[in-house]
């Protein structure tokens, strides 16, 4: 479905008939207000601010999930992650035989079918070799990490296992991981742009995910590597360190954008930036409450920036409700591709909205096994359930989700609960056993009082 009508039909700022290159950049655990263009005050994100100034910034964008692998499943498939067993898992890899099925159509595989070169630089986290991997799911090239979190200096995952790959071969390269990913993305763009064929690059940073190591914190990495678990980092970090991690990512994005200009392909390239879920302990999620693993707005509301020359008006802001999975049908449409008929999109085509169409009401759904959470947004209304506690919020008037309106509006509450139940039965049932860890710093307890 194409949301809105009108200016989406305008050609991008490139030669007639030429299909756009596409770069999709995803941060890891970045909070809604962690960019200065979204309100962060402690540091500046100059490159991402400039990216927002060159296109459209969304203020009501949602990650498909409050955790990593589930959102990445939605990004790959364009569908609710709950349609696949891998989408119910967090963390992926704890049980054997779990991953994104190579037979499932994906954004890169569908783009490859219409002539695109495809590459992933950065984080995969959708299943382990030999059965699962980027090269098995539509990417021509892969350089990065397979697990959920990796040390910025040693490049080791949990248990001090090396986790840096060049294709399906272990890589051995020294350096701060954010800088390495930035350089590899530039190298990949130079390589693919030289062929004359359009390209799709996924640049998935591990920043600002823990361990809390800025570019000058190699000593902290050595300390962590002396422990059997390695990267677990419950006693580290600060606002200053967090800012250094985010700004390091911002610098690499700036370098990549400069490379597009030098290659004279900036006007031929769509660039999208977002996060896989809400922020962690040092994030700024204002004006929302909640963090990663929570269906409060702070756990799922994330930045979305789209630079689309000739389509997205510079310095524009949209209040359209969007989700991660929407970018699969959107980018496929831009490239002249389409969803596989056996796997229709749950996401919507955002081209008209990106081009400036007025926002339209949207119905979206969430579930998460931790604390039996579920949520449903319909227009300005949001139904939320945490264990046996239920709520009705107007998240536009009350973004901090403090005024429970279910007694004042019992008809709205009943309607939204019924709608969510009807949707829920169309998805795979949640396996409660697949959640293997908790999360410290939760704000969910604040919502148990008085219900």
């Amino acid at each position: 479905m194409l949301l809105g009508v009108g200016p989406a039909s305008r050609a991008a700022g490139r030669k007639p008939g030429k299909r756009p290159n596409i770069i999709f950049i995803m941060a890891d655990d970045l909070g809604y207000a962690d960019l200065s263009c979204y309100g962060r005050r402690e540091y500046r994100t100059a490159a991402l601010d400039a990216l927002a100034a060159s296109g459209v910034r969304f203020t009501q964008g949602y990650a498909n999930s409050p955790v990593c692998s589930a959102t990445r499943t939605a990004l790959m498939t364009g569908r609710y992650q709950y349609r696949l067993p891998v989408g119910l898992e967090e963390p992926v890899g704890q049980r054997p035989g779990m991953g994104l099925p190579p037979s499932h159509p994906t954004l890169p595989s569908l783009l490859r079918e219409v002539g695109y070169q495809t590459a992933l630089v950065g984080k995969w986290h959708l299943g382990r070799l030999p059965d699962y991997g980027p090269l098995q799911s539509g990417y021509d090239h892969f350089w990065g990490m397979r697990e959920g979190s990796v040390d910025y200096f040693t490049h080791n995952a949990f248990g001090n296992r090396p986790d840096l790959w060049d294709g399906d071969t272990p890589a051995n390269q020294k350096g701060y991981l954010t800088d390495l990913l930035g350089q590899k993305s530039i190298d990949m763009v130079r390589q693919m742009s030289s062929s004359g064929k359009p390209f799709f690059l996924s640049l998935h940073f591990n920043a600002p995910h823990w361990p809390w190591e800025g570019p000058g914190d190699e000593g902290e990495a050595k300390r962590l590597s002396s422990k059997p678990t390695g990267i677990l980092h419950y006693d580290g970090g600060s606002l200053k360190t967090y800012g250094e991690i985010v700004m390091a990512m911002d610098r690499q994005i700036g370098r990549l954008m400069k490379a597009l200009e030098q290659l004279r392909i900036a006007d031929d390239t769509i660039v999208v930036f977002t996060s896989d879920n809400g922020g962690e302990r040092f994030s700024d999620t204002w004006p929302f409450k909640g963090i990663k693993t929570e269906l409060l707005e702070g756990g799922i509301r994330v930045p979305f920036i789209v630079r689309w020359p000739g389509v997205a008006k510079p310095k524009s802001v949209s209040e359209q409700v969007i989700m991660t999975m929407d970018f699969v049908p959107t980018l496929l449409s831009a490239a002249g591709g389409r969803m596989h008929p056996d796997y229709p999109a749950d996401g919507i085509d955002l081209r008209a909205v990106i081009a400036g169409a007025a926002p339209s009401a949207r119905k979206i759904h969430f579930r998460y096994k931790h604390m039996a959470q579920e949520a449903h947004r319909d227009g300005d209304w949001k139904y939320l359930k945490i264990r046996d506690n239920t709520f009705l919020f107007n998240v536009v008037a009350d973004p901090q989700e403090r005024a429970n309106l279910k007694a004042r509006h019992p008809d709205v509450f009943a309607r939204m609960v019924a709608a969510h139940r009807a949707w829920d039965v169309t998805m795979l049932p949640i396996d409660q056993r697949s959640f293997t860890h908790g999360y410290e710093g939760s704000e969910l307890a604040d919502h148990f009082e008085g219900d």
Side-chain angles (χ1 to χ4, degrees):
M1 140 180 188
L2 180 63
L3 190 61
V5 294
S9 61
R10 289 183 293 167
R14 57 185 184 275
K15 296 178 181 178
K18 186 174 182 180
R19 290 176 295 170
N21 305 309
I22 301 167
I23 298 177
F24 195 100
I25 307 172
M26 179 173 275
D28 197 346
D29 294 355
L30 187 79
Y32 176 82
D34 276 341
L35 306 182
S36 43
C37 59
Y38 277 86
R40 192 81 193 207
R41 296 162 294 174
E42 292 84 359
Y43 54 80
R44 301 295 298 175
T45 50
L48 285 163
D49 293 358
L51 188 70
S54 67
V56 57
R57 179 172 60 89
F58 287 89
T59 60
Q60 298 203 59
Y62 289 89
N64 259 70
S65 171
V67 289
C68 167
S69 298
T71 295
R72 293 166 197 272
T73 300
L75 175 60
M76 288 290 280
T77 64
R79 292 156 60 86
Y80 278 114
Q81 62 272 21
Y82 321 104
R83 296 187 182 279
L84 289 170
V86 66
L88 308 179
E89 293 280 313
E90 183 68 22
V92 167
Q94 297 300 306
R95 293 196 286 177
M98 187 58 66
L100 180 63
S103 60
H104 197 293
T106 63
L107 176 57
S109 73
L110 294 167
L111 286 171
R112 191 163 67 179
E113 286 181 4
V114 293
Y116 273 68
Q117 306 166 86
T118 60
L120 169 61
V121 173
K123 181 173 174 177
W124 167 245
H125 202 202
L126 287 173
R128 295 175 174 174
L129 288 173
D131 298 322
Y132 309 103
L135 301 183
Q136 289 81 358
S137 286
Y139 288 107
D140 298 319
H141 311 283
F142 168 56
W143 197 95
M145 315 81 71
R146 294 179 175 275
E147 300 296 327
S149 52
V150 178
D151 190 275
Y152 289 85
F153 291 94
T154 68
H155 313 146
N156 290 343
F158 182 81
N160 287 317
R161 291 176 289 104
D163 187 30
L164 191 59
W165 301 80
D166 185 351
D168 287 345
T169 302
N172 182 20
Q173 189 162 346
K174 297 184 183 299
Y176 188 66
L177 188 53
T178 302
D179 297 344
L180 296 179
L181 296 177
Q183 185 58 52
K184 287 294 180 181
S185 69
I186 293 171
D187 294 343
M188 195 67 70
V189 164
R190 292 186 185 280
Q191 174 186 330
M192 293 192 294
S193 64
S194 66
S195 73
K197 295 172 58 179
F199 65 79
F200 169 59
L201 170 67
S202 297
L203 172 54
H204 295 178
F205 287 100
N206 63 317
H209 196 293
W210 53 268
W212 312 112
E213 299 167 355
D217 294 328
E218 189 167 4
E220 190 73 352
K222 291 178 180 177
R223 185 185 73 85
L224 289 172
S225 66
S226 68
K227 300 181 177 182
T229 56
I231 59 176
L232 289 182
H233 207 190
Y234 296 118
D235 63 345
S238 66
L239 284 175
K240 181 176 181 294
T241 299
Y242 187 81
E244 290 170 350
I245 296 172
V246 174
M247 288 188 291
M249 177 181 67
D250 183 74
R251 284 193 296 273
Q252 295 307 315
I253 293 171
R255 292 184 64 230
L256 176 60
M257 297 305 298
K258 184 176 180 180
L260 297 180
E261 294 286 351
Q262 292 172 337
L263 292 167
R264 298 183 179 180
I265 58 173
D267 287 344
D268 301 328
T269 304
I270 300 168
V271 181
V272 181
F273 175 85
T274 189
S275 177
D276 60 350
N277 46 250
E280 290 205 61
R281 69 171 79 164
F282 298 112
S283 292
D284 187 349
T285 61
W286 181 261
F288 312 114
K289 301 291 286 186
I291 52 177
K292 178 182 178 179
T293 76
E294 302 175 354
L295 292 183
L296 296 168
E297 292 291 285
I300 48 180
R301 193 84 73 98
V302 293
F304 270 100
I305 298 170
V306 180
R307 182 187 187 275
W308 191 335
V311 175
K313 182 180 178 181
K315 298 182 180 180
S316 56
V317 178
S318 175
E319 296 181 353
Q320 176 64 49
V321 173
I322 66 172
M323 293 185 82
T324 313
M325 64 185 180
D326 297 338
F327 283 90
V328 179
T330 301
L331 296 176
L332 282 175
S333 296
R338 60 179 181 174
M339 298 291 295
H340 192 287
D342 295 338
Y343 301 90
D346 292 317
I348 58 175
D349 188 335
L350 299 172
R351 286 177 297 162
V353 169
I354 292 169
S360 299
R362 180 91 183 271
K363 298 179 181 181
I364 57 176
H365 298 267
F366 302 89
R367 317 185 305 193
Y368 189 51
K369 60 184 73 66
H370 178 45
M371 302 184 82
Q373 299 172 74
E374 59 186 35
H376 168 39
R377 180 161 174 182
D378 182 355
D380 294 350
W381 293 106
K382 179 180 175 182
Y383 155 69
L384 175 66
K385 180 176 179 289
I386 305 168
R387 288 182 177 157
D388 295 325
N389 303 274
T390 55
F391 311 86
L392 178 67
F393 300 115
N394 183 316
V395 291
V396 174
D398 176 27
Q400 289 203 321
E401 299 171 279
R402 289 306 191 191
N404 188 358
L405 302 177
K406 70 176 185 179
R408 287 197 181 202
H409 299 278
D411 53 336
V412 176
F413 179 76
R415 170 174 58 83
M416 295 194 69
V417 171
H420 188 76
R421 293 286 170 268
W423 169 85
D424 189 60
V425 298
T426 67
M427 301 293 149
L428 294 178
I430 288 182
D431 182 354
Q432 297 291 345
R433 298 171 300 170
S434 63
F435 184 81
T436 59
H437 65 88
Y439 190 77
E440 62 175 342
S442 171
E443 297 183 24
L444 291 177
D446 294 346
H447 288 263
F448 292 158
E449 298 178 4
D451 186 55

